[in-house]
Amino acid sequence: IIASLITCTNFSVFSQVSTTFQQSAASINPAASSYKRCGTGVLPQQFETWLQTLQPVGGGKGGGDNSIETIFTIPVIVHIVHNNEAVNTPTALSGGNLNAAQVIDQINILNRDYNKKNPDTTSIPGVFKPVLGNMRINFCLAVVNPTGGIMPEPGIDRVNRVAKGWTASPYTQTYIDATIKPNSIWDPTRYFNIWVLDLGSSLLGYATFPNPGTTGLQGLSAPYGSPTTDGVVILNKSFGSVGTAVSNPPYDKGRTVVHETGHWVGLRHTWGDATCGDDYCNDTPTSNTSNFGCPAFPHVTCSNGPNGDMFMDYMDYVDDNCMEMFTKDQVYRAQLIMPNSILRYTLLTSTVCNLPSSTNDIGLSNIIAPTYSSVLNCNSYINPIVAITNFGTNVITSATFTYNLDGVATQTLAWAGNLAPGASNTVNIPQMNGVSNGTHAFNISILNPNSTADSFMGNNYSNQPFAITNGYTIAASGATTICSGSQATVTASGGATSYTWNPSAITGTSAVVNPASTTIYSVSGTYSNCVKIATVLVTVNLTPTLTANSTTICVGGTATLIASGAPTYSWSTTQTTSSIMVTPASNTTYTAYGINGTCVSSKTLMVTIGSSLGIVPIANPTAYCNGGSTTITASGASTYTWMPGNLNGSSISVNPSSSTTYTVSGTAATCTGSNSILITVNPNPTITATATNPTVCIPGPGTTLNGTGASTYTWQPGNLVGSAVVVTPASNITYTVVGSTAAGCTNTQNVSVIVNPKPTVNVATSTPTLCNGEIGTVFAVGATTYVWNPGNLSGSTVSVTPSSTTTYTVTGTTNGCSDIQTITIVVSPCTGLSSYAASNFQLSVYPNPFKDELNFKVSEEVRVSIYNAIGQLMKSETISRLGSISTSDLPNAVYFVQVKGANQTRVLKVIKN
C-alpha cells in the first residue's frame, strides 16, 4: 500500500498535450500550438476510493442521477504578481499589473458559467442538452483582508515581485509552488487563492485538487492542495475577456479559469487523462484524448458514435469560445467533494465577502443592460440600466454617476432619490448613440453619496463587455408637393445594402412615384439580417376637377355662369369669383379656370341667345346617407316649379330615401326653361358584431371582437380600429362598434363579453418527506374542482404513495378558468443505520432518517458536531461510547454529522424526517 501511495502521489505535473496532437491542433487553430492548455496533475486512484466512501456505490462511473443541489458561495482573492509596474488601464493589451475591471470581468464569467447562465448553451448539440448541469457555485471578491481591514480593491492583492526579492518572470511551476505561493498565499480555509502572473513554457494555467484531509491521506504532495499551495495559477493573458486577454485569442473568454477551477473542485479531464480513459462521470462520453480548436459535431472516437466526444465540456481543451457546459454528474461529483474536503468545506462559512457597517456607502450591484457579452444586432446604440445598493447605514438621497464607452468621452449623471440602508434600485442611464460595430466595454462608477466621500470605494466601479453587429442607420429624402397626375422621386441613404419602397414594393435607392393623394412612402433598408425603416411624405395637391354650366338666355337677358370644384377661380373675363353674370349680345364662349395652389384646370362654356332660359339647379349636398336631407337651389328664371312633389320656389329642401332625379321648370318674361339634378342617397350598412370567446378568464389572452357589414370599424371603449380586434377586459363589459362604408355612411352594434377571474390555487402537504412505501397527503384550496397528476386523481385532498421523490401537479378550475400549481414530496430510502469501522475506530449513528433523537455508539470518547447543508453548526456535544443528542428542535432537513475522535474524524450525512 505504501509503495502504491508513493507511486500515485509522485505523478509529475504536466501539460497533458502531446507534441503530435499539438501539431494537428494547429491546423484547426494556429494559436493552439503556442500554448499548453492545462498543467494540472493527475488524480491518483486513492482519491476515487475516498470519493466512493462518500456516495452510493453503483456500476460504472460517477454518481448517476444523484443530485445534492447545494448552493455554495466561495470568497476569492486574486494575487496579481507584477514586475514593479503601474496598474494597467481598463483597455490595456499588455502589462502584468491587471486593472480591476479585468478581475471583475473574470469573476462575472465564473458566476455565469458555474450557474448555467452562459448564453452559448444554445450551441450545445441537442443530444447533450439533457445532461447540462448547474454547479450552483457563486464566487465573490473578498472585501476584508486576513487582519480584518477593508480592502481598497475588493478581491485584489497586488504583489510587487521586486519588493519581494523574487526572480523575474516567466515563472516555472516549481518556482511558483516553492517560492511564490508560500510567501503570498492567504488562509486557504477562508479564501480561494488565484495567482495571475507570467507563466513559463507557454502554459495557460494549473490548479490543485481538493485534499481529502480526513481520510488518512493528509500531507500528500501535488496534485493536492496544502495550506501553502492550494489554489489556481493563471497566465495573465488568459484571465478574463477584457484588457490583456483581448490580445490572446483563442484563450480570451475567461474559460481557462473556469477549466482550472473545475480541477480545484475535484473534476478530472473528460478523457480521464488516458487513452479512452475514465473521468468517473457517467454522462460524459468516453473520449480518446483531448480536443483542440472547435471540432465539428459529431467528433467520434473510442467507438462513441453516433454522438462522439463531448468536446464542448469545460474540462476538455477546446478554444474558449467552444467551451459551453458542465454535466449533471460533474455537478454531483463537485457538490459531493466540496463539503467533505478539509480545504473546501471551511470556505463555505467564510465571511470575508461581508463588509463591516459604514455610514455613506453606495455601490453598483450589477449592470443589467447591456447584458454580459451580449451581441446587440442592428442597433448602433445602447440603453444602459444599472442596479445600485445602499451598503451603508444612512439613507442616501443623491450620488453622481460617471460612465463611458471604451474609456473615452466620459459623461456625468446626477442621481437623486431616497435609498434606504440595504435597499436596491435600478437606474436608467441616457441612451448612448453612434456605437460602431465591434466589441466594446461599458464602464460606470457611482460616487459622492449624499455629497460626501464614499466610506468604502471597493464597490463603486463596474464594467460590462458587449458587441454591436450590423449597427447602421437609414434616411429617406425627396419630400415634395406635386399636382395630382404628376410624378415625384424619393431617395434613400444610409448603411443598408438593399432598399424596398412601399406602397408599390419598388426596389432600389430611388423610386419614381405618382400618388393620387398625399402619401407617406416607407423604405425598408436591409443589412445582413437587420431591417430598418424610414419615411418620406409626398404631398399631392389635387388638380381641380372643374364643373361649369353652359346656358341659354333670352335676347337682352343676363346669364349666371357658375364654376365649382376648386378653391379659387379665374375667368376669361378677368373675374375671380366662382359665379359671374354676363349679358352677351350674341352667342359667346367663356373659359373658367380652377386653381389649387400651382395646380390649374380649365372648363369652356357657351352662353347661347335663344328662346329658352338657362336654368341651373345646384344641390348641397348632392349625395348623403339614408336618413339625411339636402337643399336644391335653382337660378336663371323668376319662378320655379319642382317635380316630383310639385314644389315651388327657387330653393327647396328634400329628403328622399333612395336616389331621385329632381326636375325644375322656370319662367322669366316670355322665356321658359327646365333642367334636372340627381340626388344620390347612399344606404347605411347593416352591422354584425360578435366575440370569438364571449366568456374569458383573467389573467388570460382575452378574446377577439369581429365586425362585418361595413368597410371600416371603430370599437369603443379603447378607440380600437379594424374588423377584428383583440381585447383583454378586466371585468364584464359591452363593446360598441361603429361601422362605416366607403361612402361614409355608418351604423352601430353592440357585443358583450363576460369576464371570470382565474382561481388562485394554493397547495400544501402534511407529509413533505416520506420513507419509501409510506402514504402521504397533498391538498389544494382556491378553486372548485381539482385534478392531480401523476395519477389523474380528483379532489381537493388526495393520498399518494410515491416510490421515489415526485412532483405532483394540480389543476384547479372555477367557472371554466384554471390555475396550475406543483408540490414535491421527497422519498427517502430510510435505511436506518449509518456506520463506519476501522482497525482502531468504530462508529454507528442511528436511526437514519431520525426524528427527535440521534443515537451514537463509538469506540472512544468523541466530539459530535451537527451541521446543516450550508455548513452552519446546529449542535455540538461530547459522547463517550454510547450516547444520544436531542434533535426535536431541528427542522426536517439533510444534515452532516462530524464525529471527531483522538485520531479519526468522520463526516456522515443523515436525514431528519
Side-chain angles (χ1 to χ4, degrees):
I1 295 175
I2 293 173
S4 176
L5 282 173
I6 293 172
T7 301
C8 292
T9 56
N10 283 278
F11 277 91
S12 62
V13 178
F14 62 96
S15 78
Q16 304 175 12
V17 181
S18 70
T19 302
T20 302
F21 199 85
Q22 281 185 325
Q23 291 171 351
S24 63
S27 65
I28 300 173
N29 191 327
S33 63
S34 304
Y35 285 100
K36 298 177 181 178
R37 192 51 154 128
C38 173
T40 302
V42 180
L43 272 172
Q45 187 60 38
Q46 282 86 346
F47 187 87
E48 303 304 328
T49 302
W50 166 70
L51 190 57
Q52 287 296 318
T53 67
L54 306 178
Q55 62 182 337
V57 177
K61 307 182 293 177
D65 293 328
N66 298 299
S67 181
I68 299 176
E69 298 190 357
T70 299
I71 298 175
F72 299 121
T73 298
I74 306 297
V76 179
I77 182 65
V78 180
H79 307 285
I80 300 175
V81 180
H82 63 92
N83 190 32
N84 195 28
E85 302 166 69
V87 177
N88 291 2
T89 65
T91 57
L93 300 180
S94 62
N97 201 354
L98 306 187
N99 190 276
Q102 195 166 346
V103 175
I104 294 170
D105 177 65
Q106 180 63 73
I107 297 302
N108 288 340
I109 294 170
L110 277 174
N111 283 322
R112 177 198 68 190
D113 291 354
Y114 274 73
N115 288 278
K116 202 171 68 173
K117 294 181 179 178
N118 49 306
D120 51 8
T121 56
T122 56
S123 301
I124 298 171
V127 294
F128 293 146
K129 285 185 178 179
V131 299
L132 175 62
N134 184 348
M135 279 290 182
R136 299 173 184 85
I137 298 178
N138 297 321
F139 299 86
C140 60
L141 289 172
V143 296
V144 177
N145 63 27
T147 62
I150 297 176
M151 299 173 63
E153 294 180 291
I156 298 177
D157 173 34
R158 299 190 182 277
V159 183
N160 185 345
R161 73 91 188 163
V162 177
K164 289 282 190 179
W166 297 339
T167 62
S169 62
Y171 297 112
T172 64
Q173 291 178 241
T174 301
Y175 189 82
I176 292 170
D177 291 344
T179 301
I180 293 178
K181 282 186 176 182
N183 289 286
S184 59
I185 194 170
W186 289 14
D187 183 359
T189 66
R190 300 172 64 204
Y191 301 87
F192 171 24
N193 288 263
I194 301 177
W195 287 268
V196 182
L197 39 68
D198 184 9
L199 279 168
S201 303
S202 298
L203 185 64
L204 296 181
Y206 68 97
T208 57
F209 285 106
N211 194 322
T214 62
T215 68
L217 302 179
Q218 300 99 316
L220 296 178
S221 58
Y224 296 119
S226 71
T228 60
T229 63
D230 190 62
V232 168
V233 177
I234 302 294
L235 175 68
N236 51 20
K237 292 193 297 182
S238 61
F239 187 79
S241 65
V242 299
T244 60
V246 175
S247 67
N248 192 33
Y251 309 115
D252 57 347
K253 299 294 184 291
R255 259 61 189 270
T256 297
V257 180
V258 174
H259 176 99
E260 298 304 338
T261 303
H263 289 314
W264 185 81
V265 300
L267 300 184
R268 291 175 175 262
H269 290 128
T270 51
W271 67 97
D273 296 306
T275 301
C276 300
D278 194 348
D279 69 345
Y280 296 93
C281 292
N282 279 328
D283 52 10
T284 56
T286 301
S287 304
N288 179 60
T289 186
S290 53
N291 290 287
F292 286 86
C294 285
F297 173 81
H299 180 61
V300 178
T301 66
C302 291
S303 301
N304 59 9
N307 302 326
D309 295 357
M310 189 184 285
F311 55 80
M312 70 292 304
D313 192 285
Y314 292 125
M315 302 314 295
D316 207 329
Y317 277 0
V318 295
D319 293 348
D320 276 18
N321 63 346
C322 293
M323 289 185 169
E324 298 160 347
M325 66 181 292
F326 288 114
T327 71
K328 291 180 179 179
D329 276 5
Q330 287 175 324
V331 170
Y332 176 77
R333 178 181 173 94
Q335 291 232 343
L336 194 65
I337 291 170
M338 291 297 289
N340 287 286
S341 168
I342 192 170
L343 286 182
R344 297 294 177 268
Y345 70 75
T346 52
L347 282 171
L348 307 183
T349 56
S350 175
T351 61
V352 297
C353 283
N354 301 330
L355 277 172
S357 61
S358 57
T359 55
N360 294 314
D361 179 11
I362 195 168
L364 290 162
S365 308
N366 65 296
I367 297 175
I368 299 172
T371 57
Y372 179 82
S373 294
S374 62
V375 176
L376 307 176
N377 285 319
C378 308
N379 294 322
S380 57
Y381 61 84
I382 61 171
N383 293 302
I385 305 173
V386 299
I388 62 174
T389 299
N390 183 352
F391 294 102
T393 56
N394 288 345
V395 174
I396 296 179
T397 59
S398 65
T400 302
F401 287 99
T402 59
Y403 57 96
N404 63 53
L405 283 181
D406 305 324
V408 298
T410 298
Q411 302 178 59
T412 301
L413 174 66
W415 173 84
N418 192 298
L419 200 60
S424 298
N425 202 354
T426 58
V427 178
N428 295 313
I429 305 301
Q431 185 177 89
M432 305 180 77
N433 295 297
V435 186
S436 61
N437 290 346
T439 301
H440 301 276
F442 172 66
N443 308 296
I444 189 166
S445 61
I446 186 168
L447 304 166
N448 304 323
N450 293 334
S451 300
T452 64
D454 198 307
S455 57
F456 175 67
M457 298 293 291
N459 52 24
N460 294 77
Y461 171 80
S462 187
N463 76 330
Q464 195 76 288
F466 67 95
I468 293 286
T469 61
N470 302 340
Y472 69 103
T473 59
I474 68 168
S477 60
T480 187
T481 300
I482 63 173
C483 297
S484 57
S486 301
Q487 294 180 333
T489 300
V490 290
T491 303
S493 60
T497 55
S498 64
Y499 299 92
T500 300
W501 296 87
N502 279 297
S504 301
I506 303 171
T507 59
T509 304
S510 297
V512 177
V513 297
N514 55 348
S517 60
T518 298
T519 302
I520 297 175
Y521 285 89
S522 64
V523 58
S524 299
T526 302
Y527 179 89
S528 183
N529 61 334
C530 304
V531 178
K532 292 191 176 183
I533 297 175
T535 60
V536 60
L537 175 67
V538 176
T539 301
V540 177
N541 286 337
L542 293 178
T543 300
T545 300
L546 197 62
T547 300
N549 63 304
S550 294
T551 188
T552 299
I553 63 174
C554 295
V555 175
T558 298
T560 300
L561 304 181
I562 301 172
S564 63
T568 61
Y569 303 89
S570 178
W571 294 82
S572 55
T573 61
T574 72
Q575 294 166 283
T576 58
T577 58
S578 61
S579 175
I580 66 172
M581 298 179 70
V582 295
T583 309
S586 60
N587 296 343
T588 303
T589 299
Y590 298 88
T591 303
Y593 298 95
I595 305 169
N596 182 16
T598 59
C599 305
V600 180
S601 63
S602 63
K603 184 75 172 179
T604 298
L605 59 154
M606 173 73 70
V607 176
T608 303
I609 306 299
S611 60
S612 297
L613 296 174
I615 298 177
V616 179
I618 298 175
N620 185 22
T622 58
Y624 59 83
C625 297
N626 193 2
S629 64
T630 186
T631 298
I632 311 175
T633 301
S635 62
S638 299
T639 63
Y640 304 89
T641 300
W642 301 84
M643 297 300 291
N646 196 31
L647 305 173
N648 297 313
S650 62
S651 180
I652 62 172
S653 292
V654 293
N655 58 349
S657 59
S658 60
S659 296
T660 302
T661 299
Y662 286 88
T663 300
V664 60
S665 299
T667 63
T670 59
C671 295
T672 63
S674 66
N675 206 345
S676 299
I677 187 170
L678 174 65
I679 304 301
T680 302
V681 179
N682 294 313
N684 293 321
T686 299
I687 305 298
T688 300
T690 61
T692 301
N693 296 311
T695 300
V696 298
C697 300
I698 58 170
T703 187
T704 300
L705 304 180
N706 302 288
T708 60
S711 298
T712 62
Y713 305 84
T714 301
W715 302 80
Q716 299 294 344
N719 199 32
L720 308 173
V721 176
S723 61
V725 297
V726 177
V727 294
T728 54
S731 60
N732 294 348
I733 189 172
T734 297
Y735 291 92
T736 300
V737 61
V738 178
S740 300
T741 65
C745 299
T746 64
N747 210 339
T748 63
Q749 189 59 270
N750 297 330
V751 61
S752 295
V753 178
I754 297 174
V755 178
N756 290 323
K758 290 179 68 175
T760 300
V761 175
N762 294 302
V763 295
T765 178
S766 59
T767 53
T769 305
L770 297 174
C771 290
N772 194 355
E774 287 186 341
I775 299 175
T777 302
V778 291
F779 52 88
V781 295
T784 304
T785 62
Y786 308 87
V787 176
W788 299 80
N789 278 295
N792 196 30
L793 307 174
S794 299
S796 62
T797 302
V798 298
S799 297
V800 295
T801 56
S803 60
S804 61
T805 296
T806 302
T807 297
Y808 290 90
T809 300
V810 61
T811 302
T813 304
T814 299
N815 292 331
C817 300
S818 300
D819 186 25
I820 299 175
Q821 297 294 332
T822 61
I823 189 168
T824 299
I825 292 182
V826 177
V827 177
S828 170
C830 300
T831 55
L833 176 66
S834 298
S835 62
Y836 174 78
S839 61
N840 61 346
F841 185 69
Q842 289 81 39
L843 165 66
S844 295
V845 181
Y846 59 96
N848 185 17
F850 63 95
K851 290 189 180 295
D852 296 328
E853 187 175 72
L854 194 59
N855 300 310
F856 298 82
K857 180 178 179 181
V858 294
S859 58
E860 63 184 60
E861 183 177 278
V862 295
R863 186 67 177 176
V864 177
S865 300
I866 301 177
Y867 296 86
N868 65 14
I870 62 172
Q872 294 176 315
L873 178 62
M874 308 303 291
K875 286 180 176 291
S876 183
E877 294 183 18
T878 299
I879 293 177
S880 178
R881 304 297 180 179
L882 292 172
S884 62
I885 295 178
S886 174
T887 58
S888 60
D889 57 336
L890 295 180
N892 291 350
V894 176
Y895 295 88
F896 293 91
V897 178
Q898 183 190 66
V899 182
K900 187 172 184 180
N903 299 301
Q904 291 281 346
T905 299
R906 185 66 183 167
V907 177
L908 299 175
K909 182 172 76 173
V910 295
I911 301 172
K912 181 176 181 182
N913 183 359

